[in-house]
Structure formats: structure tokens, C-alpha cells
Amino acid sequence: MALLGLPSSPITAVTPASGAANTETGGVRHSTAAPEARSSTVWNTGFDARSVARTSGRMAKKNLARTLAKTGGFSNQTRLLDVGFGFADQDLLWVKEFDVGHITGLNITPSQVLEARGRVSRAGLDARIDLREGSATDTKLPDGTVNTVSAMECAFHFITREAFFREAHRVLTPGGRLVLSDICTPLRATLKDRLLYRYGHLQWQVPAENLYDREAYRARLEAAGFVDVRVDSITEHVWPHLFAFLRKRLEGDDIHWMMRTPWTRAVYAASVCWLWPLLEMDYVIVSATRPA
């Protein structure tokens, strides 16, 4: 059944609480997010099922977290491992809006873990959200610990994504689900395309091992032992709206931190207006099940 203009798929966009910041890399440490992200707790590409004129950047970012929760069927029975939780914004949303029973969060960046714990404590949710410093590819959790694993816009960073798939399969209970929002990169042969992807790798910090398309993505999940694999593109609801929104906000306070000099502003403007769109990255919502 189509919803909000989406084709028939397990993806359901819902509307309205807080977005996410995700930089856990399973082996690569990133700098912490922008001041805007720290204060507003919203920092991801976003999901816009309508148009950039009708959905704000902030609301689109919130909708991405809700879309993932709906795809995973989150409920009070969900025992979730959320890797790369950033500042735990999606975890707070999932408990408040979807009544998720318990969340264990892993993030490799200590400063983010510290701040996220403070947010959880201020929300009075310490008993339901347990945030730890740790890697997505080596969680240190016992086998069959959780019935759901999530990674929101971060698995493309992991070294490697396949190692994460194997670890997720291990910590899931039989019948448990893996749900992700992620980015695929169709490989092309020309020198221009290779140079563009090299630029994209540097900008997005994506290991070369993680560069493959949707079909290869599905095959790698199945090789890790998952069944009922879905890798559904929502590209048309992500990049066009994000780029249009960012072009309009080049002078906005929310991204001012990225443009401290005329040079950085020029580089950022060139990326948003030309280079990033040329990469044709495929944004996907992924679901898979560990066999019962």
C-alpha cells in the first residue's frame, strides 16, 4: 500500500519528535557534530515524502527516525541495540513515541556518549536507555542479546559493513530483525566517475570495501545469514530535498559553523550545488531477519 506518495514497500513514513546524529564508525573516530546538532539534537539527511517547500529540514530529519521505527515495527516488546547513536536523539524519540521497551546504544565517540547520557538522564529514561562506548563490529554483547538491531545513517562508515552484519546476526535472537537507513554507491567505470567517488569517499569517510549497490547489499546480508532481506531505495525522498534545502540555507545559522572562512563556504557551496548531486548516491531503508 502506498503512503504519502511512496511506492508499495515495507517503508512507512510517519509524522511527528527528534532526529539523530550518527557518527559511530566501527573503527573510524569522527569529530563531534556541529553546535546546531548539539543544541537542536537533529542531524541527519532527512526523509521528505512531500516537498522541501512543505517539510522543513528539521521535520524531514525527524521523519527519518520515525520511518526506521515503523519499518522495524518498534514497540514495547522491542529490545533494541542501536549502533552509532550519535547524541541518542533517535533513541529518545523511539522510547517516547514508540514505547520501545529497552535500548542498548553503542557509539565509538566518547564525547557523544557523554552528552547523550546527559540527555537521557534529563529525560528520566536511564532505566530504558543504556548508552555505552563501543564498536558496531565488536559489540562485546552475548549471543542473542536483543531482538532488534538498528543503525541509522552510519553503517556505510563501518570497517567493514559486512563485519557489522555478522555481528548483528550474532547478537540477535532467532527471528530478530535488523533495520537500517544507509547509503549505497553504484560503481561506474569512467575516470570522471572514479574521481567523483574518490571525492565522495573523502567527504563521507566511506571505506572502499563498503562501495556497492543494492543488489550486492542484499547478497552480503544473505551471506551473513539473514533472510527476508529488503533493500528499498528512498533516494527521491532524500537527496533532492536535502540539496534544495541546503542551497536555500547557505547563509543560515544552522550551518554557519561549516563556513568560518570564504574558502570553506566556497567549497561547501560547490559540494552542495554540484559535486554531491553528481555522485548519485542511493539512499536505502533496509530490513532483514535472523532465521528462527
Side-chain angles (χ1 to χ4, degrees):
M1 182 183 76
L3 179 65
L4 297 178
L6 289 175
S8 179
S9 80
I11 302 167
T12 305
V14 293
T15 313
S18 174
N22 296 283
T23 54
E24 200 278 0
T25 63
V28 177
R29 291 184 184 271
H30 289 251
S31 61
T32 56
E36 186 274 341
R38 298 190 194 110
S39 61
S40 72
T41 73
V42 177
W43 200 255
N44 59 55
T45 54
F47 179 103
D48 193 332
R50 295 171 292 183
S51 72
V52 72
R54 295 181 59 191
T55 302
S56 71
R58 191 177 305 279
M59 183 59 69
K61 293 166 185 175
K62 293 174 181 179
N63 284 344
L64 186 60
R66 299 188 181 100
T67 298
L68 200 63
K70 295 291 287 188
T71 300
F74 291 3
S75 72
N76 60 4
Q77 299 302 307
T78 300
R79 302 190 312 281
L80 176 67
L81 169 62
D82 182 33
V83 300
F85 60 77
F87 296 102
D89 308 293
Q90 71 269 26
D91 301 307
L92 291 166
L93 182 151
W94 292 335
V95 169
K96 293 175 181 178
E97 292 195 10
F98 295 87
D99 196 28
V100 169
H102 187 271
I103 298 175
T104 300
L106 291 179
N107 191 319
I108 206 167
T109 305
S111 60
Q112 292 184 354
V113 176
L114 182 63
E115 183 163 344
R117 284 174 176 166
R119 288 179 172 167
V120 168
S121 292
R122 289 191 293 274
L125 292 172
D126 293 284
R128 296 177 68 178
I129 302 177
D130 175 14
L131 303 179
R132 309 175 185 181
E133 185 178 342
S135 170
T137 59
D138 184 17
T139 66
K140 311 298 185 186
L141 298 177
D143 294 356
T145 300
V146 295
N147 59 24
T148 310
V149 174
S150 66
M152 185 172 171
E153 201 171 295
C154 55
F156 55 87
H157 289 307
F158 297 163
I159 305 175
T160 61
R161 189 192 275 129
E162 290 176 79
F164 165 60
F165 291 163
R166 293 190 294 270
E167 182 70 353
H169 187 278
R170 183 187 68 79
V171 301
L172 280 168
T173 57
R177 299 189 70 189
L178 172 66
V179 290
L180 316 170
S181 67
D182 205 356
I183 298 170
C184 296
T185 311
L187 297 179
R188 297 173 293 184
T190 70
L191 175 61
K192 180 196 73 173
D193 291 333
R194 289 198 299 270
L195 290 173
L196 280 171
Y197 282 127
R198 180 58 179 165
Y199 168 82
H201 307 168
L202 295 173
Q203 289 291 306
W204 288 77
Q205 297 182 288
V206 181
E209 299 92 331
N210 292 345
L211 296 173
Y212 42 81
D213 61 17
R214 271 181 276 162
E215 290 307 311
Y217 202 117
R218 184 192 318 277
R220 283 163 169 76
L221 277 166
E222 291 171 348
F226 286 97
V227 297
D228 301 327
V229 177
R230 296 290 303 261
V231 184
D232 294 299
S233 177
I234 58 169
T235 297
E236 65 180 300
H237 301 287
V238 177
W239 303 124
H241 305 289
L242 174 67
F243 295 143
F245 177 74
L246 291 179
R247 288 184 194 112
K248 292 197 304 183
R249 298 302 299 275
L250 281 173
E251 301 294 343
D253 292 339
D254 56 338
I255 57 174
H256 180 71
W257 66 278
M258 299 182 69
M259 297 175 287
R260 294 170 182 145
T261 69
W263 168 247
T264 56
R265 184 184 185 281
V267 170
Y268 180 79
S271 297
V272 168
C273 296
W274 180 61
L275 289 173
W276 286 355
L278 283 178
L279 290 173
E280 297 182 7
M281 295 173 289
D282 192 6
Y283 202 100
V284 294
I285 296 291
V286 180
S287 63
T289 303
R290 175 176 173 172

